[in-house]
Amino acid sequence: MKADALPPDKGASPEVLALAKVVARLRSEIADLEGTAATTAVVERAKGVLMSEAGLSAEAAYERLLERASRRGRSLMEECWVTLGRVRSRAVPRIVRPVTPSPAVVGAQQDPAAWTLGSGPPAADPLGDDGPRPLLPRLAEGLAGVRGEGDVAELLRAVLGEAVGVDGVMIYALMPTGGLDLVGHAGIDDALADQWCHVPPLSGVAALEATSEGHPVWLEDPVADARRYLLIGDPPERWPSRAWIPVPCDGPAKVAIGFLRTLPGPFDPHTRALLRQAVRLCGAPLRTGERFGGRGDAHGTGGPDEVETVQRILSALSEAAVLLTPLRSEAGEIEDYRIDAASPESVDVAGRRGKELVGRRVLETYPTVAGTALWDGYLDTLATGTVYEGEPFTYEEVGAGYPQQSVYSVRATRLGERLIASWIRHDASDREVRRLSDMQRLGNLGWAGWNLTTNSSVWSDQVYAIFDRDPSLGAIGLEDLPRHVVPEDLARLGAAVQRLLRAGQAVDQPFRIATGDGVRHLRLVAEAQADADGTPVEVHGFFQDLTAQRDAELALRESERSVLVQRGMLKAERTLAARLQDTLLPIPEQSLELAGLCIDVAYVPADSGVNVGGDWYSAIELPDKSALFVVGDVAGHGLAAVGTMAQLRFTTKGMTITGSALPDVLRRLNTLLLHTASDPSATATATMVMGRYQPWDRRLTWVRAGHLPPLLIRDDRATFLPQPEGSLLGASHDSAYGQAVIDLLPGDRLLLYTDGLVEEPGEDIDRGLARLADTTRRLLQDGLGETLARTLAATRAGARDDICVLDIHVPDDVA
C-alpha cells in the first residue's frame, strides 16, 4: 500500500494561490477566445443541416442541438459531430456483407453478427491453420502465476503480441460511481497511463460502453471512431485499430480489457474469436470483488482488500492508530513491522502524519524500539492474542531534524496475522509541535540552526525537502552554503553571510539553488546571537521555498502578454473585417431606381459580439435591362464570414450576368461552399433568396436556398410567397433547387430580408414572421413607405444578429 500524494497546492502560500487564480482566469479567457474561433464552423454546419432537414430557423436549430445533447448525455460539440456524421454517411454509402467464418474457429464462440466492410475477400488468418488453440494453453498456463492485474496485462501482450499484432493492453474496472479505474496495463507509457487512470462516467468512452452494454466494441476506422469516441493515445492514430471486450460474469460486466494495435484495418473473425476466448480465460481473477483478494502474501497475511477495509475504518477514527504487518525472515521469525494503514490523527515524534506513515518500517523509522518492552509486547500479542497495554515510556528521535523526547503509552491488539497499534502522547508540547509541523508544510519553509562554537548544524525535515537533500548527509554549514547556489547569486549570498558572521547583522536574502528537479528560488531569513564580547556564537533562522510564487509571477506576466496580444489580434480582425465589408457592401443613403422600380436598402449590424457579420445584398441591372435582387446571410462572423460573403456576391453577379439560370446559380454556389468547407478556418454555410425582374412584363422569377420567404404587400394585405424547393448552401451534396414566378402589379411592395429582422430568442419563427407582416402594413398605412426598409430595421435596434432589408416597390404609375 502506498501513501497518497499531496495535492499540488497543499503547501502553497496565500500569495501563490492568489497569483495562481489570476493566471487561471487569464488562461481561461484565452481558452474561451480560442475555443469560440475553433468551434464556430462545426456548430454552424450542424445548425445548417437541421435548418435544411427540418426547415428550422438558425435559432431554432441551435436550440434543437442543445436539447438533443442534453437528452442523450452528450456535449454540444459531440452532438454537432454526430449530426454532421449522419449527413456524410448518407452522402457516401458503405457496402456491408456477411463473411463466412473459417473452419479454424468453428466451435468457438462466434459473434452472431460477424460482418466486415468492403467487397474483397476476408483477410488472411494470422493464426495459421490451427486457429487460436496453440495460444490459449500458453495463456492459461501463464495465468496460474500472475499476482495482479498488471501481470495479466503483460501476459496478454506477450502471448498475443506477435500472433495478432497486439501492442498495448489496458484493463479497466467499473467503479461504484459509474466511472472506470485503470487497474492494469502493458505497452502503455506511464504518462499516458496516468492521464487515463481514472475515467469519469462520460459518453463516448469505448471501455465504458463495453461494460455498460455487455458486448465488445471494435474500433477499426480511426477517422470515423474519433467522431464518436474519445480515443486513447497521443496521438490517437498511434493505434489505428483497437478492441474493448467486457469480461463475462454473472450480471452486468464490471471489467473490460482493451487491445490496441498499430496494425491498421479491421479485426478478422479468427482474431475476434481469439480475443474473446482470451478475455474469458482471464475472467476468473479479474472479476470485481475477486481480483487477487484472497491470495495473500508470502507470509500468510490477508490480501490488499483486508488492508483497504482496515484503512477505511481507521480513516473514520479521531485517535492515533496504525495497522502493522509483520515482516518475517525465511525461518519465520519477525524481523520488522510495516505500517500498512494509518488514521489521519496518527502523528509521530517527527511530525509525520496519517498517510505519510504508510509504507514505513518500524525499525527503519524508529530504531530504538528494538529490544524494548514495546517490541516484546508486540511479539506476545501476535503469539497469544492477548491485548498489550504498556506503561508510559520515553522515546527520543535521533534522526535529522529537531531533537525531541516524547512520552507515549501504546496499546496493541491482534487482527488476524496483523496488529492494530494505538497510542497516546503525553507531552505538553504535542499541540505546539503539530502546529510547527503544519506551519512549515503549509508555508513551504523550515527552520535551521548553526552553533558557531561547536561547528554543528541542525535542520528541520522541511529544509531537507526544500534543498532536495538526503537527511543522512546532514545539514549544510553556514560557511558552505554559498557553494550550493547558482553562480549568478553567489556574490550576493556570500556577502550576506559575511555580514551575518562578522557583524552579526540579520539577513533576508533571496537566492537560487540547483536541484534534481531544476532551479529553485529560496529565501534565507536569519539572525545571530552573540556572547558577552559581541562575537556571534549561534545563528538561527528559516529557509522558504519561493519557487511556486516565482513561477506564478512569470506565468502571470506571460498570460497577461498573451491576452493583450489576443485582444489586439481580435480588434485588428474586427476593424479589417468592418472596412472590408464597407468596401464590398456600400449602403446607399437614399432610394435607388432600377428597371423601373424603387429600391430601398437598410443594413444594421448587431449590437453584441466582437466580429462583423455576413449579411449582404445585391441589386444590379443585367445586360438585357432586367434587374437582379439578392439578399443572403452567411453563417458566422469575422473575416471568414466577410470573405465568404464576397465570394457569394461576386460569383452570383458573374453567373447571372452571363445568363445562367437562377437554379443553376444556386447549385454552383452550393458546390463552391462545400469545397470551401475543407478549410477549417472558412465559414461553410449560407442562406440566400434571389430574384430576376423583367420590366417589360413585370414578372419576377425567384429562387431560395434555406432562406425566409419574401413578404408581398398588395392592396393593404401582407402575405408571404409560397416557397420553391431549396435547402441551405453548403449543407449537402444532394441539394436541389426549384424556382417560382410572380407577376408584380403597380403599387406592390416586395420585402427581401435576413433572419435578424424577425427572430427573437426562444420564440417560434412564425410569430416573428406574423409580427413583420403586421408592422409593415401599419408603417405603410402611416405613410412611411419611402423609408420602409430603414424604418423596419430601426424597429429592431439592439438585435442579436445583423439585419439586412431590401424593399422593392412597383410605382403606382408604372406603364
Side-chain angles (χ1 to χ4, degrees):
M1 190 170 183
K2 207 172 181 181
D4 290 345
L6 292 174
D9 59 344
K10 188 75 173 179
S13 64
E15 294 82 358
V16 173
L17 292 177
L19 288 172
K21 290 179 181 179
V22 174
V23 172
R25 176 178 59 79
L26 294 174
R27 284 177 175 169
S28 176
E29 185 174 348
I30 294 176
D32 289 343
L33 294 172
E34 294 175 345
T36 299
T39 60
T40 297
V42 177
V43 175
E44 293 297 336
R45 288 206 68 196
K47 285 169 55 180
V49 170
L50 291 184
M51 292 168 66
S52 174
E53 293 179 346
L56 301 175
S57 67
E59 186 73 24
Y62 183 72
E63 295 295 333
R64 178 73 60 86
L65 288 170
L66 291 176
E67 185 272 330
R68 285 182 178 178
S70 176
R71 187 175 71 251
R72 298 169 180 171
R74 300 186 178 123
S75 67
L76 176 60
M77 286 300 296
E78 290 173 343
E79 185 62 36
C80 290
W81 279 117
V82 170
T83 301
L84 294 174
R86 291 200 307 269
V87 174
R88 295 187 183 96
S89 63
R90 290 195 298 268
V92 185
R94 303 177 72 184
I95 302 173
V96 180
R97 67 176 185 83
V99 174
T100 303
S102 167
V105 293
V106 173
Q109 179 179 359
Q110 297 294 316
D111 186 350
W115 301 85
T116 188
L117 297 173
S119 58
D125 180 9
L127 306 179
D129 296 335
D130 294 333
R133 293 185 181 89
L135 298 176
L136 296 179
R138 288 174 50 197
L139 181 60
E141 181 180 356
L143 286 171
V146 298
R147 295 185 59 86
E149 289 87 346
D151 290 350
V152 175
E154 290 288 356
L155 178 63
L156 286 170
R157 182 185 178 221
V159 173
L160 302 177
E162 183 176 354
V164 295
V166 171
D167 303 286
V169 177
M170 303 181 75
I171 302 177
Y172 275 109
L174 187 65
M175 305 306 293
T177 58
L180 297 175
D181 262 8
L182 183 64
V183 296
H185 64 86
I188 310 296
D189 57 78
D190 291 340
L192 189 61
D194 289 341
Q195 180 184 356
W196 290 88
C197 62
H198 301 293
V199 179
L202 300 173
S203 61
V205 178
L208 197 58
E209 180 179 315
T211 55
S212 61
E213 301 295 334
H215 60 71
V217 177
W218 308 97
L219 307 181
E220 301 163 327
D221 184 344
V223 176
D225 295 335
R227 300 192 189 106
R228 180 176 179 185
Y229 297 103
L230 301 174
L231 299 182
I232 295 173
D234 186 14
E237 296 80 8
R238 174 182 175 185
W239 295 294
S241 61
R242 52 189 83 192
W244 292 96
I245 304 176
V247 174
C249 64
D250 296 332
K254 299 296 181 64
V255 179
I257 301 180
F259 299 96
L260 295 83
R261 305 193 306 175
T262 55
L263 179 68
F267 294 85
D268 61 81
H270 308 308
T271 302
R272 291 192 178 195
L274 172 63
L275 295 182
R276 286 197 187 93
Q277 294 181 28
V279 170
R280 185 173 294 106
L281 279 176
C282 299
L286 287 178
R287 295 189 186 99
T288 300
E290 303 173 10
R291 299 197 305 273
F292 310 101
R295 178 167 298 174
D297 59 23
H299 306 296
T301 59
D305 288 347
E306 179 182 317
V307 174
E308 292 174 5
T309 301
V310 174
Q311 180 62 70
R312 286 196 294 270
I313 296 173
L314 294 183
S315 296
L317 296 181
S318 58
E319 305 297 333
V322 295
L323 175 67
L324 300 177
T325 298
L327 304 176
R328 301 180 183 270
S329 65
E330 294 182 359
E333 296 180 355
I334 297 177
E335 296 180 328
D336 203 346
Y337 296 89
R338 183 182 64 241
I339 302 175
D340 279 346
S343 66
E345 296 302 317
S346 300
V347 182
D348 67 3
V349 69
R352 292 178 286 257
R353 176 189 298 274
K355 292 183 178 180
E356 294 179 292
L357 301 173
V358 175
R360 292 182 175 270
R361 297 193 177 197
V362 171
L363 292 184
E364 290 181 0
T365 310
Y366 319 106
T368 59
V369 170
T372 63
L374 175 63
W375 185 265
D376 295 336
Y378 283 172
L379 296 176
D380 184 63
T381 299
L382 276 176
T384 65
T386 304
V387 176
Y388 168 75
E389 294 193 44
E391 296 294 329
F393 71 98
T394 301
Y395 176 79
E396 181 176 354
E397 176 73 12
V398 296
Y402 49 87
Q404 180 75 31
Q405 286 187 342
S406 301
V407 180
Y408 293 92
S409 293
V410 179
R411 187 177 189 271
T413 306
R414 189 172 73 181
L415 178 64
E417 296 297 325
R418 292 184 169 95
L419 290 176
I420 294 290
S422 59
W423 65 88
I424 298 175
R425 186 170 180 177
H426 301 288
D427 299 343
S429 61
D430 180 37
R431 182 174 298 176
E432 286 71 19
V433 170
R434 184 180 304 176
R435 287 176 176 173
L436 176 61
S437 175
D438 289 342
M439 181 187 68
Q440 292 184 83
R441 175 175 48 83
L442 294 174
N444 201 9
L445 55 84
W447 62 264
W450 294 273
N451 190 315
L452 305 182
T453 303
T454 62
N455 197 27
S456 60
S457 307
V458 61
W459 281 359
S460 68
D461 284 351
Q462 192 66 26
V463 178
Y464 285 98
I466 290 174
F467 275 78
D468 193 22
R469 183 176 175 85
D470 187 348
S472 64
L473 299 177
I476 299 174
L478 197 58
E479 301 87 346
D480 297 331
L481 184 61
R483 291 202 292 265
H484 295 268
V485 304
V486 298
E488 293 82 2
D489 297 344
L490 180 60
R492 288 192 297 271
L493 182 61
V497 171
Q498 290 299 321
R499 290 196 305 272
L500 178 66
L501 296 179
R502 293 179 179 176
Q505 296 180 3
V507 298
D508 186 346
Q509 181 66 38
F511 64 98
R512 292 170 293 171
I513 63 172
T515 69
D517 296 331
V519 174
R520 293 184 181 178
H521 295 260
L522 306 186
R523 174 193 182 198
L524 169 63
V525 178
E527 63 181 4
Q529 291 182 349
D531 58 14
D533 298 328
T535 303
V537 294
E538 187 176 339
V539 174
H540 56 81
F542 66 85
F543 292 99
Q544 186 176 17
D545 189 348
L546 304 177
T547 305
Q549 181 177 339
R550 294 291 186 269
D551 290 345
E553 292 172 353
L554 292 175
L556 176 62
R557 288 196 292 268
E558 185 63 28
S559 296
E560 289 175 339
R561 188 181 299 110
S562 299
V563 169
L564 291 175
V565 171
Q566 188 72 13
R567 285 176 175 171
M569 292 174 61
L570 290 175
K571 183 177 179 180
E573 180 181 340
R574 175 176 174 80
T575 302
L576 177 59
R579 291 179 179 176
L580 181 60
Q581 186 185 52
D582 291 341
T583 302
L584 297 174
L585 194 67
I587 305 299
E589 297 182 356
Q590 57 186 6
S591 299
L592 305 174
E593 290 187 5
L594 191 64
L597 303 175
C598 294
I599 312 300
D600 188 26
V601 180
Y603 175 79
V604 179
D607 283 349
S608 60
V610 297
N611 287 314
V612 295
D615 291 16
W616 61 283
Y617 83 97
S618 184
I620 61 172
E621 183 176 289
L622 298 177
D624 61 356
K625 303 303 180 181
S626 62
L628 175 69
F629 303 105
V630 188
V631 168
D633 186 356
V634 176
H637 294 81
L639 285 175
V642 174
T644 304
M645 177 267 286
Q647 278 187 313
L648 295 178
R649 191 166 186 263
F650 293 128
T651 305
T652 302
K653 284 184 179 181
M655 287 191 290
T656 52
I657 287 176
T658 56
S660 297
L662 299 186
D664 290 340
V665 173
L666 291 185
R667 279 192 291 270
R668 293 172 183 173
L669 292 177
N670 183 60
T671 303
L672 173 65
L673 287 193
L674 287 171
H675 175 73
T676 306
S678 61
D679 179 3
S681 64
T683 302
T685 57
T687 66
M688 182 188 296
V689 60
M690 175 170 53
R692 175 185 285 166
Y693 175 74
Q694 301 174 168
W696 51 86
D697 57 5
R698 296 197 301 274
R699 174 160 294 181
L700 178 75
T701 302
W702 67 285
V703 293
R704 60 175 286 272
H707 206 85
L708 295 173
L711 176 63
L712 174 67
I713 300 92
R714 175 179 291 174
D715 299 331
D716 201 31
R717 294 180 57 194
T719 58
F720 291 97
L721 299 183
Q723 302 187 76
E725 179 183 13
S727 59
L728 187 75
L729 296 176
S732 173
H733 289 276
D734 301 329
S735 298
Y737 301 95
Q739 67 179 18
V741 177
I742 181 174
D743 293 330
L744 299 180
L745 303 178
D748 283 355
R749 305 187 88 101
L750 190 66
L751 286 183
L752 308 182
Y753 52 92
T754 58
D755 53 10
L757 188 64
V758 295
E759 283 190 340
E760 285 286 354
E763 181 183 76
D764 187 80
I765 190 64
D766 291 336
R767 294 189 61 183
L769 293 174
R771 182 174 56 249
L772 173 62
D774 293 341
T775 303
T776 303
R777 187 170 57 250
R778 187 181 69 253
L779 291 175
L780 290 176
Q781 291 172 352
D782 294 343
L784 299 176
E786 292 185 2
T787 60
L788 178 61
R790 281 166 281 179
T791 304
L792 283 172
T795 63
R796 298 285 294 163
R800 295 173 56 187
D801 200 0
D802 297 349
I803 297 173
C804 185
V805 186
L806 190 64
D807 172 28
I808 303 172
H809 180 206
V810 182
D812 294 332
D813 56 353
V814 66

